[in-house]
Amino acid sequence: MIRINCSYALILSLLTFAAAGCSDTAGTTIVGTNSASEAVSPGDNPSVVTSGQPGSALPVASIPAPGSSATPGNADDDEPEEPLEPLTETPEPEKGSPEWAVREILRIRLLPYPVIETAAADNPASQEKLREQMEAQKKLRTERNKQIIELATGALAVTAKDKAQERLFTVSAHHLLESHLQLALQGDAESTSALYDIAAVFFENRPESDAAAEAQQTVVSLAHSNALRSSETEPRWLIELSRQSQLYATRFPKDSAKSLPFLLAAATSCEMNGQLEEAVTCYRLIEQKFPGTPEAQQITNVLRRIDLPGKSLELAGPALDGNFITMDEYRGKAVLVVFWSTASKPFRDQLPQLLEISKKYEKYCVTVGVNLDLEESAVDRFLEETGVSWPQIFHSERAKRGWNHPLATHYGINTLPTIWLIDPQGTVISTQVQPSTLEPELREVLLKHLRAAKAQETNQN
């Protein structure tokens, strides 16, 4: 059950209509994809920001910022959006009126903060002074945000009754949400609860309004920020990002310009952090809510990859040296399939560990690279510099390089490096291998294979 504090209960009691100021303009997808004839050279991932070092905190994908587009479904509008805050007008608004409250909010937001002096690393007194200054500024920010919350709440209570003041209602809601978000990100539990309360109240009473859309977007942003900071230590925020992104897409299906990035960010982040059930739910929702979009078409490939473990891998392609590579030629050995490019910093960071493990287990395991570079010369130079001797699947046709590599598109590869582990029978064990845990996983696969071979030999004798 949703808890609604007294301020929002007051707003709820004054929301007498639901559809004022809403937009019914259909939105369109703004997340582009590469055409089959336009090869793009990949780095790590075109839509993922990483948290921490490779092998520690895993990626959390980026999302649109709250308030970046107030009206659901306005992605097609060619006209520039009006400023969110109303322009200064004369005469002076009456003190206590919604117009006065919004102007006062803007005044507070424009107030400068005290300059924080730099501290010498080897001076304890200077460091202590810095901590005091930072704490004082944090306290001042908190006080100002609480002032804004009080002013915005009062303006909402008045404008909720008057359809003609819908714009002031929307502006007040924006400032209320922004201040609560800032406090919530500082760990304020009351503001965290308030954001959920506001989103529930606005959607229940004005489901098609700008304020309802922004309120739900702010909740998504809160979950995203917390997931970005603590996806490894607190996976519940990844799950919350998934659930709130799904809720946004369900409540505001016309706003594909935000719904799609939200769902893709949540799905990608959950998948890469091992929350596969949540990832699949988000991917399926994209297929359901946005059929026919490039994103929905790509989901089929992504789900094909997610479904690989436990199945036999059919993977083949032209080699960099002119030969042709198939998985059949490696039967009897474990195989590491590494999707990579020379532009991927995480791959470069992980390469020494991969080389060490490949060398250590070369009698029982082979590594196959799937290179996503555009220029063959760059690949040759990199292999020569690093001593990498793995066979590489690389297409001579430029249109089949980069993110347009047929294997990358067929399996929905969206980040580099991506490492798969295949057992000696050709069965996929994992498509989410991390170098930090690769060796024990590989040893387990090899020991299982050796035990099975020994048992078979015993039975035959």
Side-chain angles (χ1 to χ4, degrees):
M1 178 179 294
I2 297 175
R3 176 192 59 76
I4 301 178
N5 63 36
C6 58
S7 297
Y8 307 116
L10 173 61
I11 296 171
L12 176 59
S13 69
L14 296 170
L15 290 174
T16 56
F17 57 95
C22 66
S23 169
D24 57 2
T25 305
T28 57
T29 302
I30 62 171
V31 180
T33 55
N34 305 318
S35 66
S37 61
E38 183 183 0
V40 178
S41 181
D44 308 324
N45 182 303
S47 62
V48 172
V49 291
T50 56
S51 162
Q53 296 298 317
S56 58
L58 295 174
V60 174
S62 58
I63 65 171
S68 57
S69 175
T71 304
N74 66 352
D76 288 338
D77 293 345
D78 292 327
E79 297 182 3
E81 295 181 10
E82 298 178 19
L84 188 60
E85 293 82 6
L87 298 176
T88 302
E89 299 177 356
T90 55
E92 290 289 324
E94 181 183 352
K95 185 173 182 179
S97 67
E99 293 85 355
W100 174 86
V102 169
R103 179 173 292 189
E104 188 67 9
I105 287 172
L106 294 177
R107 184 190 66 79
I108 293 171
R109 289 207 184 281
L110 291 173
L111 289 174
Y113 285 94
V115 176
I116 296 180
E117 301 174 7
T118 57
D122 57 350
N123 188 330
S126 178
Q127 290 288 327
E128 179 61 28
K129 183 178 179 180
L130 174 63
R131 283 191 290 270
E132 290 175 356
Q133 289 177 332
M134 293 179 66
E135 186 61 33
Q137 187 168 114
K138 180 181 178 181
K139 183 178 179 181
L140 183 56
R141 287 183 184 277
T142 299
E143 291 173 354
R144 290 182 182 179
N145 276 316
K146 288 183 176 180
Q147 283 181 284
I148 291 171
I149 288 169
E150 184 177 355
L151 289 164
T153 301
L156 286 170
V158 174
T159 57
K161 299 179 293 184
D162 188 353
K163 185 176 180 178
Q165 298 193 79
E166 178 69 13
R167 180 164 176 74
L168 274 173
F169 181 92
T170 301
V171 171
S172 301
H174 168 78
H175 288 298
L176 178 74
L177 292 164
E178 174 63 23
S179 287
H180 271 308
L181 178 60
Q182 290 186 23
L183 292 175
L185 290 174
Q186 293 177 0
D188 187 276
E190 185 175 339
S191 280
T192 298
S193 296
L195 288 175
Y196 283 83
D197 293 345
I198 297 167
V201 168
F202 284 179
F203 181 73
E204 181 179 351
N205 294 274
R206 294 187 178 184
E208 297 182 356
S209 69
D210 298 345
E214 186 175 350
Q216 182 59 38
Q217 185 183 356
T218 305
V219 174
V220 175
S221 182
L222 174 64
H224 174 264
S225 296
N226 285 327
L228 190 63
R229 293 188 296 189
S230 58
S231 61
E232 189 175 30
T233 57
E234 291 189 84
R236 67 186 180 90
W237 282 112
L238 277 170
I239 297 174
E240 187 66 7
L241 173 61
S242 169
R243 304 280 170 83
Q244 295 303 322
S245 297
Q246 293 172 48
L247 190 58
Y248 189 96
T250 301
R251 288 178 168 179
F252 309 102
K254 294 180 181 179
D255 192 8
S256 61
K258 290 195 182 73
S259 296
L260 275 167
F262 287 165
L263 289 171
L264 284 171
T268 303
S269 301
C270 287
E271 181 190 349
M272 299 184 72
N273 286 275
Q275 301 289 340
L276 289 184
E277 184 176 348
E278 292 294 333
V280 170
T281 301
C282 288
Y283 285 136
R284 293 294 187 196
L285 191 58
I286 292 174
E287 288 185 317
Q288 175 189 342
K289 293 288 185 182
F290 309 103
T293 63
E295 290 79 9
Q297 294 170 12
Q298 291 178 357
I299 297 308
T300 301
N301 301 331
V302 172
L303 293 175
R304 180 185 293 120
R305 167 170 46 81
I306 291 177
D307 199 40
L308 272 177
K311 294 184 176 180
S312 180
L313 179 65
E314 300 296 331
L315 186 144
L320 189 63
D321 60 7
N323 293 317
F324 195 82
I325 296 173
T326 68
M327 287 296 100
D328 291 340
E329 60 188 286
Y330 303 119
R331 289 294 169 89
K333 284 190 173 184
V335 180
L336 292 175
V337 178
V338 182
F339 292 83
W340 68 284
S341 83
T342 59
S344 171
K345 184 180 184 304
F347 171 74
R348 289 174 174 267
D349 292 341
Q350 296 173 12
L351 183 58
Q353 196 170 5
L354 288 172
L355 287 172
E356 181 182 352
I357 293 173
S358 296
K359 178 66 175 177
K360 184 175 181 179
Y361 293 92
E362 62 182 348
K363 183 177 178 181
Y364 309 100
C365 177
V366 63
T367 303
V368 176
V370 180
N371 179 267
L372 272 61
D373 274 275
L374 289 180
E375 303 299 334
E376 183 174 348
S377 58
V379 183
D380 290 335
R381 186 166 55 251
F382 182 86
L383 296 179
E384 183 178 353
E385 291 173 354
T386 59
V388 173
S389 58
W390 315 326
Q392 301 288 341
I393 297 179
F394 185 86
H395 280 265
S396 59
E397 302 173 53
R398 190 177 181 86
K400 294 182 179 180
R401 297 179 184 177
W403 289 112
N404 293 327
H405 193 297
L407 291 176
T409 58
H410 184 71
Y411 289 110
I413 301 300
N414 52 27
T415 190
L416 298 179
T418 291
I419 306 172
W420 297 353
L421 174 59
I422 321 299
D423 75 9
Q425 286 75 43
T427 302
V428 179
I429 300 301
S430 174
T431 58
Q432 294 183 303
V433 175
Q434 295 297 316
S436 58
T437 58
L438 171 57
E439 186 166 8
E441 290 182 74
L442 178 58
R443 285 177 61 86
E444 183 178 349
V445 167
L446 293 174
L447 287 173
K448 183 178 179 180
H449 172 67
L450 291 174
R451 284 195 294 264
K454 186 175 181 179
Q456 184 178 6
E457 182 180 351
T458 301
N459 291 336
Q460 290 176 347
N461 294 333

